[in-house]
Amino acid sequence: EGGEGGSGEGTGGWSSRASGHSKGHCQASKNQSHRRGEYNVYSTFQSHEPEFDYLKSLEIEEKINKIRWLPQQNAAYFLLSTNDKTVKLWKISERDKRPEGYNLKDDDGRLKDPSTITTLRVPVLKPMDLMVEASPRRVFSNAHTYHINSIAVNSDYETYMSADDLRINLWHLEITNRSFNIVDIKPANMEELTEVITAAEFHPHQCNMFVYSSSKGTIRLCDMRASALCDQHSKFFEEPEDPSNRSFFSEIISSISDVKFSHSGRYMMTRDYLTVKVWDLNMENRPIETYQVHEYLRSKLCSLYENDCIFDKFECVWNGSDSVIMTGSYNNFFRMFDRNTKRDVTLEASRENSKPRAILKPRKVCMGGKRKKDEISVDSLDFSKKILHTAWHPSENIIAVAATNNLYIFQDKVN
């Protein structure tokens, strides 16, 4: 879908970038002159099919939990995708030429009778419509008892890890029948289980280091050089709880839903239900920055618990220079925080005025009392509209925001 645009104080103005929206039928034209700022579907393919685990009488859905691109090594693209149980490596390649003029086959591809061949032809490559082909190269299965929640590609470009609630496995991209268990937090007695793994991520430059977060709001940094099983962490990041904020929901809202290293590798960012925190890898006892995403929901935790929204898993993302961070909220709002100026802005991804180059207006939520004209009351927020997934272009100020079944793409209006 085309997005809607906006102006954020301090975090730059944002306007709609994409108006193109096409159904992906694995066909495109290479000679189309694309206007700068128009995105169309490149390719669509089915990654997983629904399966049934007869041993546990359990249906395994086809839904995708995570996708991770591999760094590009040649003309083709490679990605890892996972559902609850199985990781697949896909190759996505383009074809815009086809060979013609075979000696041993006719035009339909049938083999000719050799006695009828009297001349030799040189096959030639003829241009054709661009075809985008997705082919599965590896299937990594049968390694997780619990549901996979994360996959992360290592900076050595050879290995990746997959994490479920209680274990993290390390895989080689070429080997499908063997993985190494590098973290196992399953207690001998399951009644003693107090936390689960919620996300895992490799360090962007040091292939021996990774972090994983837990439902208790803690982050463990592990070094694979220390031992084969990383049950003993190298660093343990946890912020002491403020006793004045203690409530029945404290443990639920402290659960970390996403962890991301900065591009520099010096910092990491974690997202819990109400906040985004930035941690310096050299300081474990507290984050260096805390940003309130939607503090106005603190008074609404009871109803959010009853409608299960309190278990929503929001992601967070850095911009290319690690100076701005972005994460989603409810009512199709998303938040940006400028780490240098300390300014923040709330923007809305909605279809109401999703015209190209429309400017996004900053939104404000009021807690109670007198509501100003352009403010929205916390009581009228739509909790069924939520932005869980966002992405930021690695070098340009272009963002993608997923709101239910619509994808909005915005660009900095300076461009």
Side-chain angles (χ1 to χ4, degrees):
E1 289 287 341
E4 151 198 336
S7 93
E9 328 100 311
T11 48
W14 291 85
S15 65
S16 168
R17 172 149 181 115
S19 57
H21 176 78
S22 68
K23 285 276 177 253
H25 285 303
C26 299
Q27 214 167 19
S29 163
K30 208 155 198 175
N31 309 326
Q32 271 177 335
S33 57
H34 278 297
R35 284 208 315 274
R36 177 175 156 75
E38 197 166 289
Y39 284 90
N40 289 307
V41 173
Y42 175 65
S43 172
T44 306
F45 63 93
Q46 180 83 15
S47 175
H48 288 65
E49 303 288 345
E51 295 172 60
F52 195 79
D53 183 337
Y54 293 98
L55 206 58
K56 298 194 178 84
S57 290
L58 191 71
E59 190 169 6
I60 302 163
E61 294 180 66
E62 70 269 38
K63 72 177 175 66
I64 305 299
N65 293 342
K66 280 284 185 291
I67 294 172
R68 289 288 176 264
W69 292 95
L70 272 62
Q72 194 171 353
Q73 311 278 8
N74 52 34
Y77 303 102
F78 286 86
L79 65 85
L80 288 167
S81 66
T82 184
N83 66 352
D84 285 340
K85 297 289 178 192
T86 304
V87 184
K88 292 187 181 182
L89 174 68
W90 288 87
K91 178 184 181 182
I92 297 159
S93 50
E94 295 182 351
R95 266 202 328 181
D96 61 354
K97 295 182 179 67
R98 68 165 184 270
E100 276 186 9
Y102 285 112
N103 288 293
L104 301 177
K105 292 178 186 171
D106 61 20
D107 292 340
D108 298 331
R110 289 190 297 266
L111 284 172
K112 290 182 183 173
D113 178 359
S115 61
T116 63
I117 301 170
T118 54
T119 55
L120 276 179
R121 295 197 291 177
V122 178
V124 291
L125 288 172
K126 289 277 182 71
M128 59 179 247
D129 282 345
L130 178 68
M131 292 283 290
V132 180
E133 297 176 321
S135 52
R137 304 312 296 261
R138 307 268 185 280
V139 178
F140 307 88
S141 54
N142 303 328
H144 285 276
T145 310
Y146 308 97
H147 288 351
I148 299 171
N149 56 42
S150 294
I151 45 176
V153 180
N154 200 347
S155 59
D156 62 9
Y157 304 164
E158 287 189 354
T159 55
Y160 77 91
M161 66 179 169
S162 56
D164 65 27
D165 289 345
L166 298 179
R167 297 191 181 101
I168 300 176
N169 292 333
L170 182 70
W171 300 82
H172 193 287
L173 283 162
E174 298 292 324
I175 301 167
T176 58
N177 60 353
R178 187 187 329 125
S179 64
F180 296 96
N181 179 229
I182 51 173
V183 171
D184 187 348
I185 65 166
K186 184 181 178 185
N189 179 2
M190 280 295 268
E191 287 175 8
E192 293 164 13
L193 183 67
T194 58
E195 62 181 333
V196 294
I197 297 166
T198 55
E201 170 105 326
F202 270 116
H203 191 280
H205 315 304
Q206 295 172 340
C207 62
N208 52 288
M209 283 168 56
F210 67 93
V211 293
Y212 68 92
S213 59
S214 88
S215 56
K216 274 195 161 173
T218 61
I219 308 107
R220 290 170 175 86
L221 177 81
C222 300
D223 189 338
M224 292 192 287
R225 295 171 302 188
S227 71
L229 193 62
C230 300
D231 284 358
Q232 299 299 314
H233 48 264
S234 305
K235 291 190 176 184
F236 182 78
F237 300 84
E238 182 177 31
E239 184 172 30
E241 192 189 12
D242 178 359
S244 64
N245 271 339
R246 179 92 195 129
S247 77
F248 170 76
F249 304 107
S250 294
E251 202 162 297
I252 302 175
I253 63 172
S254 68
S255 176
I256 292 172
S257 56
D258 196 19
V259 55
K260 293 265 171 59
F261 277 105
S262 63
H263 296 84
S264 67
R266 169 74 188 270
Y267 305 101
M268 66 179 171
M269 161 171 60
T270 59
R271 172 76 155 93
D272 57 41
Y273 191 64
L274 294 179
T275 66
V276 172
K277 295 177 176 139
V278 175
W279 303 77
D280 188 322
L281 288 194
N282 300 325
M283 191 168 88
E284 300 167 59
N285 59 338
R286 61 188 172 84
I288 55 168
E289 297 157 28
T290 300
Y291 300 98
Q292 304 296 337
V293 178
H294 36 217
E295 182 62 19
Y296 46 79
L297 294 184
R298 198 176 283 279
S299 60
K300 295 261 174 273
L301 292 177
C302 200
S303 56
L304 289 162
Y305 177 75
E306 286 165 1
N307 65 14
D308 275 355
C309 283
I310 202 166
F311 302 106
D312 285 335
K313 292 179 166 46
F314 291 96
E315 294 174 3
C316 52
V317 64
W318 301 87
N319 72 340
S321 61
D322 297 335
S323 61
V324 183
I325 57 184
M326 171 172 63
T327 191
S329 179
Y330 293 103
N331 210 67
N332 281 358
F333 288 171
F334 59 99
R335 304 270 282 135
M336 288 183 175
F337 303 95
D338 189 310
R339 298 179 58 212
N340 301 322
T341 64
K342 299 300 176 204
R343 289 217 182 130
D344 65 88
V345 65
T346 302
L347 301 171
E348 182 182 6
S350 76
R351 297 182 67 168
E352 268 57 90
N353 53 350
S354 56
K355 296 182 184 68
R357 292 176 183 75
I359 300 295
L360 280 180
K361 296 174 188 63
R363 306 301 303 259
K364 288 253 184 337
V365 177
C366 74
M367 292 284 291
K370 197 145 169 48
R371 185 167 68 89
K372 294 190 187 131
K373 180 170 72 76
D374 56 347
E375 288 184 335
I376 182 166
S377 161
V378 68
D379 295 313
S380 55
L381 294 175
D382 186 342
F383 293 107
S384 66
K385 293 180 177 171
K386 53 193 96 171
I387 290 175
L388 302 177
H389 313 287
T390 54
W392 205 305
H393 192 288
S395 55
E396 293 187 55
N397 260 345
I398 302 170
I399 57 172
V401 175
T404 324
N405 55 353
N406 293 323
L407 181 70
Y408 296 92
I409 298 175
F410 305 116
Q411 70 175 5
D412 197 327
K413 74 165 187 255
V414 178
N415 294 334

